[in-house]
Amino acid sequence: MGEEQKEKLFAKREEGWKHVDEKQKQEIMKVSDEYMAFLNKAKTEREFIKTAKKLADDNGYTDIINKKELKPGDKIYFINREKSMYLAVIGENSIEENGMHIIGSHVDSPRLDLKPNPLCEEGGLAYFKTHYYGGIKKYQWTTIPLSLHGVIVKTNGEKVEINIGESETDPIFTITDLLPHLAQEQMEKKLKEGIEGENLKLLIGSIPFNDDKVQEKVKLNILNILNEKYGITEADFMSAELELVPAFRARSLGFDESMVAGYGQDDKVCAYTSLRAMMNLQKVKNTAICILSDKEEIGSMGNTGMESHMFDFFVSEILNKLGINKPNLLDRIFCLSKMLSSDVDAGYDPIYASVSDTLNAGYLGKGITLNKYTGSRGKSGASDANAEYVAWVRNVLEKNNIKYQITELGKVDLGGGGTIAYILANKGADVIDCGVPVLSMHAPYEVTSKYDIYSAYKTYEAFWEE
Ligand code: MN
Ligand code: MN
């Protein structure tokens, strides 16, 4: 009697794997294998967009610039300065009456950027100086293999693409740390002060240039190598964007291979699953939009961040090419739109259980997480999703048999975070955060569950097909 009532009345949050049969398991593993292969090719925002463009081109998408007019069923994209991208499938329904179904993630991840004047020599060793990008625990970035990615642009406009440290035959780079034997003072410091930002210096060489008369011989030898290989001089670093990321590959984790370990899963796990889901779409009722944004980790500012007007420009171009644009139509369409802000969530970590409210935490392997609000300490800065919209999203998930959990990021007074949700909410769209729970978020090696990756993929597909 009590058990029956309990079954009927209690909210359920079940282990996803429990309900997976052999065929589904193979499908889950296949999606994760393709995800890991994509991650290994797309460690930076520029590489992600380049790889995404190829996938879109292969699936019948066209740059909106090449289209004079648009009609339902058309598949288009717009690439913003090689670092962010918006894709769309034009819906059968009137965009003016129904708005858009938007899924938005970000493709930048925490990392170390080279300073504009990076190269120096100290004690017979050559270094690149760095400035970290996004919220990192600095000690995690020492003594691991790092690879160098990005572009160097010369004053004549020539762009040199750099990717060193990913191939087995490439060298890698690293940041050294103090040996324990001499670390007595360092070990007494607070964890956040143990490694100083200015000491995140990348070791890049040690052979001196063969001429006793010159100073800074090791630095000169490095520049000589770079000049021979890329035709650059030291000044060209001023117009470069070079990023250091972990040189590890994404791998299956655990004896049961149930998880993925990889760099940059915040937020490439949501970016990849939404992009991949979009490739499945044929005819959709409502215009489907996929946003792959940049600069989320440093506040979404700048012309490739979500705060810029570039996305408005893209939607306006769609309205122009549909031949329906008129004053205030863009505002109207945003107000009618629905959005999933697809960003990762803090996974419940039993080792650090004390930071989570166990009733409102996101568990690995229990499906996609919905965050009604993010923000911190009194929901500050959050775009709290309306109950009506949360109910609408729950309905979509439940009728598609997708497991989900509704969560908060940690205990009330402890901290918090944000995503791009508020930006579209401020334009008038209904928005909820919806993503994959992650362990060791923002670390060089982050962990997700393959079950949740698959849930995200299914969620995004269902949302667009609604
Ligand atoms: Mn994120
Ligand atoms: Mn993040």
Side-chain angles (χ1 to χ4, degrees):
M1 176 72 176
E3 282 305 315
E4 268 170 43
Q5 284 301 93
K6 200 174 162 184
E7 176 68 17
K8 197 169 115 190
L9 297 177
F10 274 28
K12 287 179 202 67
R13 215 179 330 165
E14 292 175 310
E15 190 53 58
W17 292 108
K18 221 169 72 182
H19 301 275
V20 167
D21 61 25
E22 200 46 45
K23 189 163 162 275
Q24 274 175 312
K25 193 173 174 187
Q26 278 176 16
E27 174 71 9
I28 291 171
M29 294 297 169
K30 182 170 166 273
V31 170
S32 286
D33 284 346
E34 289 170 20
Y35 164 55
M36 288 187 279
F38 194 99
L39 266 189
N40 288 333
K41 281 187 283 188
K43 288 193 175 180
T44 65
E45 63 280 28
R46 283 180 192 265
E47 289 171 356
F48 195 103
I49 298 305
K50 195 176 176 180
T51 317
K53 179 188 184 309
K54 189 174 181 312
L55 188 69
D57 287 336
D58 291 347
N59 281 278
Y61 284 73
T62 316
D63 194 321
I64 192 170
I65 289 163
N66 302 325
K67 285 278 204 184
K68 280 207 167 57
E69 50 191 44
L70 290 172
K71 57 178 190 319
D74 281 350
K75 297 173 175 183
I76 45 164
Y77 61 77
F78 175 77
I79 293 176
N80 180 11
R81 297 173 170 88
E82 301 182 7
K83 295 192 233 175
S84 66
M85 183 174 185
Y86 318 120
L87 301 95
V89 181
I90 307 298
E92 307 285 324
N93 289 344
S94 152
I95 192 170
E96 185 172 353
E97 298 304 324
N98 297 275
M100 309 173 284
H101 283 197
I102 305 166
I103 298 180
S105 60
H106 64 94
V107 297
D108 61 317
S109 301
R111 60 179 191 249
L112 307 176
D113 285 346
L114 295 202
K115 290 193 182 199
N117 296 300
L119 189 55
C120 63
E121 175 178 337
E122 285 167 36
L125 298 172
Y127 294 95
F128 277 150
K129 300 185 96 177
T130 70
H131 192 142
Y132 58 95
Y133 173 98
I136 63 164
K137 293 162 96 173
K138 284 172 280 215
Y139 68 89
Q140 293 177 334
W141 293 74
T142 62
T143 68
I144 59 169
L146 295 167
S147 56
L148 185 67
H149 299 236
V151 295
I152 302 169
V153 186
K154 301 182 193 175
T155 49
N156 66 4
E158 187 195 331
K159 192 181 289 183
V160 182
E161 280 191 42
I162 304 286
N163 182 320
I164 307 167
E166 294 299 331
S167 153
E168 281 300 313
T169 54
D170 281 356
I172 54 87
F173 309 95
T174 197
I175 293 167
T176 56
D177 191 8
L178 198 51
L179 63 167
H181 317 63
L182 296 177
Q184 207 173 318
E185 282 177 14
Q186 184 194 37
M187 299 288 264
E188 294 299 327
K189 289 183 183 175
K190 285 185 178 168
L191 196 54
K192 69 173 183 181
E193 290 151 6
I195 303 290
E196 287 165 33
E198 284 292 341
N199 289 344
L200 290 174
K201 282 183 195 157
L202 188 74
L203 186 56
I204 56 166
S206 63
I207 298 179
F209 190 82
N210 194 9
D211 181 348
D212 283 339
K213 291 191 277 302
V214 292
Q215 296 290 308
E216 299 188 287
K217 295 181 189 63
V218 182
K219 173 175 167 175
L220 179 59
N221 193 48
I222 295 289
L223 278 173
N224 205 36
I225 292 168
L226 294 177
N227 184 260
E228 274 173 16
K229 196 162 179 192
Y230 303 112
I232 60 161
T233 65
E234 187 179 13
D236 291 321
F237 283 114
M238 291 192 264
S239 48
E241 285 179 344
L242 293 167
E243 307 175 5
L244 287 162
V245 297
F248 335 124
R249 299 175 70 72
R251 307 281 288 267
S252 279
L253 173 67
F255 286 115
D256 56 8
E257 301 189 32
S258 61
M259 292 168 275
V260 170
Y263 163 72
Q265 297 202 69
D266 174 8
D267 181 31
K268 296 183 183 79
V269 66
C270 296
Y272 173 77
T273 46
S274 58
L275 176 69
R276 188 189 156 119
M278 176 157 262
M279 295 303 116
N280 298 344
L281 301 181
Q282 295 305 330
K283 279 188 175 165
V284 285
K285 278 177 269 172
N286 297 299
T287 295
I289 304 272
C290 180
I291 297 173
L292 304 172
S293 70
D294 180 32
K295 297 284 182 280
E296 192 277 342
E297 295 295 355
I298 55 169
S300 294
M301 308 308 254
N303 56 18
T304 57
M306 204 59 225
E307 291 270 15
S308 93
H309 287 261
M310 294 303 293
F311 181 61
D312 298 20
F313 168 72
F314 172 67
V315 180
S316 295
E317 279 293 275
I318 290 178
L319 302 180
N320 291 335
K321 293 183 179 188
L322 283 169
I324 60 170
N325 210 357
K326 60 188 177 193
N328 301 328
L329 183 58
L330 184 65
D331 294 339
R332 177 188 163 86
I333 285 170
F334 279 132
C335 295
L336 292 169
S337 291
K338 293 182 169 66
M339 180 187 186
L340 299 180
S341 164
S342 49
D343 206 343
V344 296
D345 196 2
Y348 173 79
D349 188 334
I351 299 175
Y352 301 100
S354 63
V355 302
S356 297
D357 162 16
T358 52
L359 189 58
N360 289 283
Y363 293 84
L364 260 67
K366 294 191 176 179
I368 189 122
T369 58
L370 301 176
N371 270 115
K372 187 174 182 297
Y373 48 85
T374 56
S376 56
R377 298 176 188 84
K379 299 190 178 182
S380 180
S383 66
D384 205 342
N386 298 305
E388 292 83 350
Y389 181 55
V390 183
W392 183 90
V393 173
R394 283 182 55 209
N395 181 44
V396 173
L397 293 166
E398 285 174 15
K399 70 185 185 193
N400 285 283
N401 282 320
I402 295 166
K403 292 222 178 331
Y404 66 93
Q405 16 182 1
I406 189 145
T407 67
E408 266 200 272
L409 207 154
K411 276 186 179 166
V412 174
D413 284 329
L414 274 188
T419 64
I420 62 169
Y422 73 94
I423 300 164
L424 275 292
N426 286 351
K427 292 182 195 287
D430 271 316
V431 186
I432 188 165
D433 277 299
C434 175
V436 173
V438 176
L439 299 181
S440 307
M441 195 197 292
H442 285 201
Y445 223 34
E446 300 173 317
V447 174
T448 54
S449 158
K450 292 183 182 177
Y451 181 82
D452 303 331
I453 295 168
Y454 189 72
S455 298
Y457 170 55
K458 285 294 169 194
T459 298
Y460 302 150
E461 192 177 40
F463 173 80
W464 275 322
E465 285 187 337
E466 184 58 31

